[in-house]
Amino acid sequence: MRIGALSRRTGVSQRLLRYYEEQGLLHPLRRPSGYREYDEEDVRAVESIRTLLGAGLSTRTIAELLPCTVNDGQGPVPACAGMLPDLQRERERIDSAMADLLAARTALDAVIAATPLPPAGGAGGEAGGDESDGCLVAAAGGTSAGPVPR
């Protein structure tokens, strides 16, 4: 099948399929005309690639792991015990990213909690940037310095 048919079968754009090939994830047969020729194995490979990308793996990591997986019809299944350290490393990377995001959310929650509420009946959030949005900055000594420049 040609790239358009593979795109329709997998729901992945032709541009993305070419990118997968550039990254060494797909290896289509090349016809003398230059057209790419795909088969059912490529359909399963694209499904596995999408699953592994969804699991947070990079295309570089997928390129290393994909040859050691089989697609059982429900997704990629590791076929090599040697994959375990790589998968654990990726899980640790994701755990670290989650911890960083949680810390960022906690910091944002603190900023939100410290933000004063708009005055009752005020016009907070109106376009125009005038003083009606109640955005004042206290100057040194505790006095109001006026509206914040936008």
Side-chain angles (χ1 to χ4, degrees), residues 39-100:
D39 58 23
E40 289 302 315
E41 186 176 319
D42 293 310
V43 173
R44 288 186 297 279
V46 171
E47 291 168 351
S48 294
I49 291 165
R50 300 301 296 167
T51 298
L52 294 169
L53 285 169
L57 302 182
S58 68
T59 55
R60 182 184 324 165
T61 301
I62 293 170
E64 294 171 11
L65 298 178
L66 199 58
C68 291
T69 62
V70 294
N71 189 318
D72 67 354
Q74 295 188 359
V77 177
C80 307
M83 288 179 62
L84 193 56
D86 293 328
L87 294 171
Q88 289 172 331
R89 182 188 71 241
E90 287 300 314
R91 182 180 169 84
E92 289 168 5
R93 182 188 60 76
I94 291 169
D95 285 344
S96 176
M98 289 172 56
D100 291 345

Coordinates of all heavy atoms in Angstrom, one line a residue, residues 39-100:
D39 N 3.3 -2.3 4.1 CA 2.6 -3.5 4.3 C 1.9 -3.6 5.6 O 1.9 -2.6 6.4 CB 3.4 -4.8 4.0 CG 4.6 -4.8 5.0 OD1 4.6 -4.2 6.1 OD2 5.6 -5.5 4.6
E40 N 1.2 -4.7 5.9 CA 0.5 -4.8 7.2 C 1.4 -4.6 8.4 O 1.0 -4.1 9.5 CB -0.2 -6.1 7.3 CG -1.4 -6.2 6.3 CD -2.4 -5.1 6.6 OE1 -2.8 -4.9 7.8 OE2 -2.9 -4.5 5.6
E41 N 2.7 -5.1 8.3 CA 3.6 -4.9 9.4 C 3.9 -3.4 9.7 O 4.0 -3.1 10.9 CB 5.0 -5.6 9.0 CG 6.0 -5.6 10.2 CD 7.2 -6.4 9.8 OE1 7.1 -7.4 9.2 OE2 8.3 -5.9 10.2
D42 N 3.8 -2.6 8.7 CA 4.0 -1.2 8.9 C 2.8 -0.6 9.6 O 2.9 0.3 10.4 CB 4.2 -0.4 7.6 CG 5.6 -0.8 7.0 OD1 6.6 -0.8 7.7 OD2 5.6 -1.2 5.8
V43 N 1.6 -1.1 9.3 CA 0.4 -0.7 10.0 C 0.6 -0.9 11.5 O 0.3 -0.1 12.4 CB -0.9 -1.4 9.5 CG1 -2.1 -1.0 10.3 CG2 -1.1 -1.0 8.0
R44 N 1.0 -2.1 11.9 CA 1.2 -2.5 13.3 C 2.3 -1.7 13.9 O 2.2 -1.3 15.0 CB 1.5 -4.0 13.4 CG 0.2 -4.8 13.1 CD 0.5 -6.3 13.4 NE 1.5 -6.9 12.6 CZ 1.2 -7.4 11.3 NH1 0.0 -7.3 10.8 NH2 2.2 -7.9 10.6
A45 N 3.4 -1.4 13.1 CA 4.5 -0.6 13.6 C 4.0 0.9 13.9 O 4.3 1.4 15.0 CB 5.6 -0.5 12.6
V46 N 3.2 1.4 13.1 CA 2.6 2.8 13.3 C 1.8 2.8 14.6 O 1.8 3.7 15.4 CB 1.9 3.3 12.1 CG1 1.1 4.6 12.5 CG2 2.8 3.6 11.0
E47 N 0.9 1.7 14.7 CA 0.1 1.6 15.9 C 1.0 1.5 17.2 O 0.7 2.2 18.2 CB -0.8 0.4 15.8 CG -1.9 0.6 14.8 CD -2.6 -0.7 14.5 OE1 -2.2 -1.8 14.9 OE2 -3.6 -0.6 13.7
S48 N 2.1 0.8 17.1 CA 3.0 0.7 18.2 C 3.7 2.0 18.5 O 3.8 2.4 19.7 CB 4.1 -0.4 18.0 OG 3.4 -1.7 17.9
I49 N 4.1 2.7 17.5 CA 4.8 4.0 17.6 C 3.8 5.0 18.3 O 4.2 5.6 19.3 CB 5.2 4.5 16.3 CG1 6.3 3.7 15.7 CG2 5.6 6.0 16.4 CD1 6.6 3.9 14.2
R50 N 2.6 5.0 17.9 CA 1.6 5.9 18.5 C 1.4 5.6 20.0 O 1.3 6.4 20.9 CB 0.3 5.9 17.8 CG 0.4 6.3 16.3 CD 0.9 7.7 16.1 NE 0.0 8.7 16.7 CZ 0.3 9.9 16.8 NH1 1.5 10.4 16.5 NH2 -0.6 10.8 17.4
T51 N 1.3 4.3 20.3 CA 1.2 3.9 21.7 C 2.4 4.3 22.6 O 2.2 4.8 23.7 CB 1.0 2.3 21.8 OG1 -0.2 2.0 21.1 CG2 0.9 1.9 23.2
L52 N 3.6 4.1 22.0 CA 4.8 4.4 22.8 C 4.9 5.9 22.9 O 5.4 6.4 24.0 CB 6.0 3.7 22.1 CG 6.0 2.2 22.2 CD1 7.1 1.6 21.3 CD2 6.1 1.7 23.6
L53 N 4.6 6.7 21.9 CA 4.6 8.1 22.0 C 3.6 8.6 23.1 O 3.9 9.5 23.9 CB 4.3 8.8 20.7 CG 5.4 8.8 19.6 CD1 4.8 9.2 18.3 CD2 6.5 9.7 20.0
G54 N 2.4 7.9 23.1 CA 1.4 8.3 24.1 C 1.9 7.9 25.5 O 1.4 8.5 26.5
A55 N 2.8 7.0 25.6 CA 3.4 6.6 26.9 C 4.5 7.6 27.3 O 5.1 7.4 28.4 CB 3.9 5.2 26.9
G56 N 4.8 8.6 26.5 CA 5.7 9.6 26.9 C 7.1 9.3 26.4 O 8.1 10.0 26.7
L57 N 7.3 8.3 25.5 CA 8.7 8.0 25.0 C 9.0 8.9 23.9 O 8.2 9.2 23.1 CB 8.8 6.5 24.6 CG 8.4 5.5 25.7 CD1 8.6 4.1 25.1 CD2 9.3 5.7 26.9
S58 N 10.3 9.2 23.7 CA 10.8 10.0 22.6 C 10.9 9.1 21.4 O 11.1 7.9 21.5 CB 12.1 10.7 22.9 OG 13.1 9.7 23.0
T59 N 11.0 9.7 20.2 CA 11.2 8.9 19.0 C 12.6 8.2 19.0 O 12.7 7.1 18.5 CB 11.0 9.7 17.7 OG1 11.9 10.9 17.8 CG2 9.6 10.2 17.5
R60 N 13.5 8.9 19.7 CA 14.9 8.2 19.8 C 14.8 7.0 20.6 O 15.3 5.9 20.2 CB 15.9 9.2 20.4 CG 17.3 8.6 20.5 CD 18.3 9.4 21.2 NE 18.1 10.8 20.9 CZ 18.7 11.8 21.6 NH1 19.5 11.5 22.6 NH2 18.5 13.1 21.4
T61 N 14.1 7.0 21.7 CA 13.9 5.8 22.6 C 13.1 4.8 21.8 O 13.4 3.6 21.9 CB 13.2 6.2 23.9 OG1 14.1 7.2 24.6 CG2 13.1 5.0 24.8
I62 N 12.0 5.2 21.2 CA 11.2 4.3 20.4 C 12.0 3.5 19.3 O 11.9 2.3 19.1 CB 10.0 5.0 19.8 CG1 9.1 5.4 20.9 CG2 9.2 4.0 18.9 CD1 7.9 6.4 20.5
A63 N 12.9 4.3 18.7 CA 13.7 3.7 17.6 C 14.6 2.5 18.2 O 14.8 1.5 17.6 CB 14.6 4.7 17.0
E64 N 15.0 2.7 19.5 CA 15.8 1.7 20.1 C 15.0 0.5 20.6 O 15.4 -0.7 20.5 CB 16.5 2.3 21.4 CG 17.6 3.3 21.0 CD 18.1 4.0 22.3 OE1 17.8 3.6 23.4 OE2 18.8 5.0 22.1
L65 N 13.7 0.8 21.1 CA 12.9 -0.2 21.6 C 12.0 -1.0 20.6 O 11.7 -2.2 20.8 CB 12.0 0.4 22.7 CG 12.6 1.0 23.9 CD1 11.6 1.6 24.8 CD2 13.5 0.0 24.6
L66 N 11.6 -0.3 19.5 CA 10.7 -0.9 18.6 C 11.1 -2.3 18.0 O 10.3 -3.2 17.9 CB 10.4 0.1 17.5 CG 9.1 -0.1 16.6 CD1 7.9 -0.2 17.5 CD2 9.0 0.9 15.6
P67 N 12.4 -2.4 17.7 CA 12.8 -3.8 17.2 C 12.6 -4.9 18.2 O 12.6 -6.1 17.9 CB 14.3 -3.6 16.9 CG 14.5 -2.1 16.7 CD 13.5 -1.5 17.6
C68 N 12.5 -4.5 19.5 CA 12.3 -5.5 20.6 C 10.9 -5.6 21.0 O 10.6 -6.1 22.2 CB 13.2 -5.2 21.7 SG 15.0 -5.4 21.4
T69 N 9.9 -5.2 20.2 CA 8.5 -5.4 20.5 C 7.8 -6.2 19.5 O 8.2 -6.2 18.3 CB 7.8 -4.0 20.7 OG1 7.9 -3.3 19.4 CG2 8.5 -3.1 21.7
V70 N 6.7 -6.8 19.9 CA 5.8 -7.4 18.9 C 4.4 -6.8 19.2 O 4.1 -6.4 20.3 CB 5.7 -8.9 19.1 CG1 7.0 -9.6 18.7 CG2 5.3 -9.3 20.5
N71 N 3.6 -6.7 18.2 CA 2.3 -6.1 18.3 C 1.3 -7.3 18.4 O 1.2 -8.0 17.4 CB 2.0 -5.1 17.2 CG 0.7 -4.4 17.4 OD1 -0.3 -4.9 17.9 ND2 0.7 -3.1 17.1
D72 N 0.7 -7.4 19.5 CA -0.3 -8.6 19.7 C -1.7 -8.2 19.3 O -2.6 -8.9 19.6 CB -0.3 -9.0 21.2 CG -0.8 -8.0 22.1 OD1 -1.2 -6.9 21.7 OD2 -1.0 -8.3 23.3
G73 N -1.8 -7.1 18.5 CA -3.2 -6.7 18.1 C -3.8 -5.7 19.1 O -4.8 -5.0 18.8
Q74 N -3.2 -5.6 20.3 CA -3.7 -4.7 21.3 C -2.7 -3.6 21.6 O -2.9 -2.8 22.5 CB -4.2 -5.4 22.5 CG -5.4 -6.3 22.2 CD -6.0 -6.9 23.5 OE1 -5.5 -6.6 24.6 NE2 -7.0 -7.6 23.4
G75 N -1.5 -3.7 21.0 CA -0.5 -2.8 21.2 C 0.9 -3.5 21.3 O 1.0 -4.7 21.2
P76 N 1.9 -2.7 21.5 CA 3.3 -3.2 21.6 C 3.5 -4.0 22.9 O 3.1 -3.6 24.0 CB 4.2 -2.0 21.5 CG 3.4 -0.9 22.0 CD 1.9 -1.2 21.7
V77 N 4.1 -5.2 22.7 CA 4.5 -6.0 23.9 C 6.0 -6.2 23.8 O 6.5 -6.6 22.8 CB 3.7 -7.4 23.8 CG1 4.2 -8.3 25.0 CG2 2.2 -7.2 23.8
P78 N 6.7 -5.9 24.9 CA 8.1 -6.1 25.0 C 8.5 -7.6 24.7 O 7.9 -8.5 25.3 CB 8.6 -5.7 26.4 CG 7.5 -4.8 26.9 CD 6.2 -5.3 26.2
A79 N 9.4 -7.8 23.8 CA 9.8 -9.2 23.5 C 11.3 -9.5 24.0 O 11.7 -10.6 23.8 CB 9.7 -9.4 22.0
C80 N 11.9 -8.5 24.5 CA 13.3 -8.6 25.0 C 13.4 -8.2 26.4 O 13.0 -7.1 26.8 CB 14.3 -7.8 24.1 SG 14.1 -8.0 22.4
A81 N 14.0 -9.0 27.3 CA 14.2 -8.6 28.7 C 15.1 -7.4 28.8 O 15.0 -6.7 29.8 CB 14.7 -9.8 29.4
G82 N 16.0 -7.2 27.8 CA 16.9 -6.1 27.9 C 16.2 -4.7 27.8 O 16.8 -3.7 28.0
M83 N 14.9 -4.7 27.5 CA 14.2 -3.5 27.4 C 13.8 -2.9 28.7 O 13.6 -1.7 28.9 CB 12.8 -3.7 26.7 CG 12.9 -3.9 25.2 SD 11.3 -4.2 24.4 CE 10.5 -2.6 24.7
L84 N 13.8 -3.7 29.8 CA 13.4 -3.3 31.1 C 14.1 -2.1 31.6 O 13.5 -1.1 32.1 CB 13.4 -4.5 32.1 CG 12.7 -4.3 33.4 CD1 11.2 -3.9 33.1 CD2 12.8 -5.5 34.2
P85 N 15.5 -2.1 31.6 CA 16.2 -0.9 32.1 C 15.8 0.4 31.4 O 15.7 1.4 32.0 CB 17.7 -1.2 31.9 CG 17.7 -2.7 31.8 CD 16.4 -3.1 31.2
D86 N 15.6 0.3 30.1 CA 15.3 1.5 29.3 C 13.8 2.0 29.7 O 13.6 3.2 29.8 CB 15.3 1.2 27.8 CG 16.7 1.0 27.3 OD1 17.6 1.6 27.8 OD2 16.9 0.2 26.4
L87 N 12.9 1.0 29.8 CA 11.6 1.4 30.2 C 11.5 2.0 31.6 O 10.8 3.0 31.9 CB 10.6 0.2 30.1 CG 10.4 -0.4 28.7 CD1 9.7 -1.7 28.7 CD2 9.7 0.7 27.9
Q88 N 12.3 1.4 32.5 CA 12.4 1.9 33.9 C 13.0 3.3 33.9 O 12.5 4.2 34.6 CB 13.1 1.0 34.8 CG 12.4 -0.3 35.1 CD 13.2 -1.3 35.8 OE1 14.4 -1.4 35.7 NE2 12.5 -2.2 36.6
R89 N 14.0 3.6 33.1 CA 14.6 4.9 33.0 C 13.6 5.9 32.5 O 13.5 7.0 33.0 CB 15.8 4.8 32.1 CG 16.6 6.2 31.9 CD 17.6 6.2 30.8 NE 17.0 6.2 29.6 CZ 17.1 5.2 28.6 NH1 17.9 4.2 28.9 NH2 16.5 5.3 27.5
E90 N 12.8 5.5 31.5 CA 11.8 6.4 31.0 C 10.7 6.7 32.0 O 10.2 7.8 32.1 CB 11.2 5.8 29.7 CG 12.1 5.9 28.5 CD 12.5 7.3 28.1 OE1 11.6 8.2 28.1 OE2 13.7 7.5 27.9
R91 N 10.4 5.7 32.8 CA 9.4 5.9 33.9 C 9.9 6.9 34.9 O 9.2 7.8 35.4 CB 9.0 4.6 34.5 CG 8.0 4.8 35.6 CD 7.6 3.5 36.3 NE 6.9 3.6 37.4 CZ 5.5 3.8 37.5 NH1 4.9 3.8 36.4 NH2 4.9 4.0 38.6
E92 N 11.2 6.8 35.2 CA 11.8 7.7 36.2 C 11.9 9.1 35.6 O 11.6 10.1 36.3 CB 13.3 7.3 36.5 CG 13.3 6.0 37.4 CD 14.7 5.4 37.5 OE1 15.6 6.0 37.0 OE2 14.8 4.3 38.1
R93 N 12.1 9.3 34.3 CA 12.1 10.6 33.7 C 10.7 11.2 33.8 O 10.6 12.4 34.1 CB 12.6 10.5 32.2 CG 12.6 11.8 31.5 CD 12.9 11.6 30.0 NE 11.9 10.8 29.3 CZ 10.7 11.3 29.0 NH1 10.3 12.5 29.2 NH2 9.8 10.5 28.3
I94 N 9.7 10.4 33.5 CA 8.3 10.9 33.5 C 7.9 11.3 35.0 O 7.3 12.3 35.2 CB 7.4 9.8 33.0 CG1 7.6 9.7 31.4 CG2 5.9 10.2 33.3 CD1 6.9 8.6 30.8
D95 N 8.3 10.4 36.0 CA 8.1 10.7 37.4 C 8.7 12.1 37.7 O 8.1 12.9 38.5 CB 8.6 9.6 38.3 CG 7.8 8.4 38.3 OD1 6.6 8.4 37.8 OD2 8.3 7.3 38.8
S96 N 9.9 12.3 37.3 CA 10.6 13.6 37.6 C 9.9 14.8 36.9 O 9.7 15.8 37.6 CB 12.0 13.5 37.1 OG 12.7 14.8 37.2
A97 N 9.4 14.6 35.7 CA 8.7 15.7 35.0 C 7.4 15.9 35.8 O 6.9 17.1 35.9 CB 8.4 15.3 33.6
M98 N 6.7 14.9 36.2 CA 5.5 15.0 37.0 C 5.7 15.8 38.3 O 4.9 16.7 38.7 CB 4.8 13.7 37.3 CG 4.2 13.0 36.0 SD 3.7 11.3 36.3 CE 2.5 11.5 37.6
A99 N 6.8 15.5 39.0 CA 7.1 16.2 40.2 C 7.4 17.7 39.9 O 6.9 18.6 40.7 CB 8.3 15.6 40.9
D100 N 8.1 18.0 38.8 CA 8.3 19.4 38.4 C 7.0 20.1 38.1 O 6.8 21.2 38.5 CB 9.3 19.4 37.2 CG 10.7 19.0 37.5 OD1 11.0 18.9 38.7 OD2 11.4 18.7 36.6

